[in-house]
Every structure is written in structure tokens, then in C-alpha cells.
Amino acid sequence: MRRIEEAFAGARRHRRAAFIPYLTAGDPSAKVTLDLVLALERAGADLVELGVPFSDPLADGEVNQRAAARALAGGTTLAGVLEIVRRIRDRSSIPLILFTYVNPLLRMGMEPFARAAAGAGVDGVLATDLPVEESHDYRKFLLSCGIAPIFLVAPTTAPARLPAIAAACRGFVYYVARTGVTGERQGLPPELREGVERLRETTSLPIAVGFGVSTKSQVEEIAAFADGFVVGSALVKAVEDAGARSDLAEALSRRVREILPEGYGRSG
């Protein structure tokens, strides 16, 4: 949890929003995921979201669904994702957030999962389909292990629920830029800034915006009013397009450079 706080504080010191890339763990393999996360860190990532592949990913668009299917076909499990985290942690201190559905956590058991995730080096967990009103035990076990529970706020979230969601979060609050599933889009919704500002009235935590962020102009627009931005499908698609090529990590880094504004990130 401390690493998440330090990452956002570091971005603020540099007067920029935190860059949070997303990858599906295990796509195309566990070993390559390790290499890709290290490449993202070199390219300027402040935190990294690792998607836990799941057979019924309702919040994900076609690109992320295909990545999850490839990872599952390769034998990736929740325990395998935690092993990937453990290997990353041997090489890097970058904050790692698991982006998951609640079923895999229930299958492992909430308390065993929290202990295993903490032992591996996970900093935060976002269970996309777990309502905050049903998350008491989930949050209790994560917090007891020093892991930040992170929740989604959508444009359709009732204003009356915002204080409870914000109060349940640690590290940051994830604001969904648009209704629907993940995936690249041409533009940002005109009401996005207003939604983030409405959420900011309920919390002092950083707010990161994700879902559909895939171009430099979108990043520049979001960075003007949010504390972080998540880029997912555009990078997962780069991994898909590169396939088994030996220069996959470099291809991913090139895609990052296309998306980040000039001079953004640690090494451009």
C-alpha cells in the first residue's frame, strides 16, 4: 500500500499524472509477462495493473477477452499470477495492482488469498464485480495484510454511493471513463471531467481514470484533472499483434512512447 502512495506522490512532485499500464498476466506466458512489466517500468510506468485471466470477464472488451483466453489456455491461474508477482518483486519495487473478478478470489478463499498476495508482493486489488456494500470481509482481510482495496466508480454510479465507495478505497479510486466495457475509443466523454470532480468532493485519495484511454491527446486531457490514467487495451493489443516475436518487449515500449506525451515518463 505504501508503494502506491509513494508512486502518486512522486508523480505529483513531477507535476504529472501517474501512468498505470495494464497487462493480462500470463499472456503470452508467465516469463514474458515478467519481461513486459520490467519494460513498462523502464518506459515510465508508475504502477502496473495485472489482469487475472477469468473465463467470464464481463467488464472487458474483445481485446482483453482474447488475452484472458490465451492466458487461460496457457494454464495461468490465480496462484500462477501470484507467482508472476513474486518473480517481478525479485526484480522491481514498482507497485502492482491485481485487476480481477471476485470468483477466483472466492475459490481460493478471501483470507488465504490476502495472505498469499501479501507474501507475493501485491500492493492493491481491484475486484471489478464486487459491490462495496458486500465487501466487508474482502476489505478486512486485504487491509490486515497491508493490501489496498480499490473500487470502481462509473458514470452511472449513484451520487449517494460515492462517499461509501471512496471511504472503502485505499491507495486510489478508479474512475471508469465511460459506460460499457474496456477497449480503445476515439474520444473521451464530455462529462468525464465533471464526473471526476464530483468524485473528488468525496475523497482526498488520488483518482485514476481508465477504460478506453489509448491516445496521447486523451492522456493530456485526463492529466489536466485526474491524478492518474490507466492504459489497457491499447497495450494488450500491442502484445497480441507482436505475438511470439523476440522483440515483443521493445514493441510494447514503442506503443507506450506513442501514447505518452512528449517528455513524459522516466525514460520517454
Side-chain angles (χ1 to χ4, degrees), residues 72-266:
L72 290 171
T76 304
T77 63
L78 177 57
V81 173
L82 295 179
E83 179 57 28
I84 292 172
V85 170
R86 187 174 293 104
R87 293 178 184 177
I88 294 170
R89 197 52 78 219
D90 288 340
R91 306 272 299 276
S92 169
S93 60
I94 193 165
L96 296 170
I97 313 298
L98 294 191
F99 185 100
T100 183
Y101 295 83
V102 73
N103 271 9
L105 312 187
L106 292 172
R107 180 177 298 177
M108 181 177 284
M110 285 295 186
E111 188 171 11
F113 163 73
R115 288 199 306 267
V122 171
D123 297 287
V125 179
L126 197 168
T128 60
D129 54 347
L130 180 62
V132 70
E133 293 83 357
E134 301 173 17
S135 67
H136 177 268
D137 288 348
Y138 164 82
R139 287 184 286 126
K140 179 182 70 176
F141 293 132
L142 290 184
L143 290 171
S144 69
C145 292
I147 296 175
I150 299 160
F151 289 88
L152 297 174
V153 171
T156 53
T157 299
R161 295 183 65 230
L162 294 181
I165 296 173
C169 287
R170 297 292 185 276
F172 67 96
V173 186
Y174 191 128
Y175 189 85
V176 176
R178 68 191 74 247
T179 56
V181 297
T182 62
E184 297 183 60
R185 302 292 194 282
Q186 292 300 313
L188 296 173
E191 65 276 13
L192 174 58
R193 181 169 190 153
E194 180 182 350
V196 171
E197 290 176 347
R198 184 167 54 245
L199 173 60
R200 199 178 292 285
E201 293 174 359
T202 69
T203 182
S204 60
L205 288 174
I207 299 172
V209 173
F211 279 45
V213 182
S214 57
T215 69
K216 186 177 297 184
S217 63
Q218 291 171 351
V219 169
E220 290 171 335
E221 184 175 343
I222 291 170
F225 56 84
D227 305 290
F229 57 94
V230 181
V231 180
S233 298
L235 303 181
V236 175
K237 186 68 166 57
V239 173
E240 180 179 68
D241 290 344
R245 281 167 34 189
S246 59
D247 65 341
L248 172 53
E250 176 52 32
L252 183 65
S253 298
R254 283 197 298 271
R255 188 70 181 100
V256 169
R257 288 194 290 271
E258 291 172 355
I259 294 171
L260 291 181
E262 185 76 19
Y264 209 94
R266 295 170 185 164

Side-chain angles (χ1 to χ4, degrees), residues 61-78:
E62 293 182 3
V63 170
N64 287 359
Q65 288 183 21
R66 291 197 297 269
R70 290 191 295 271
L72 290 171
T76 304
T77 63
L78 177 57

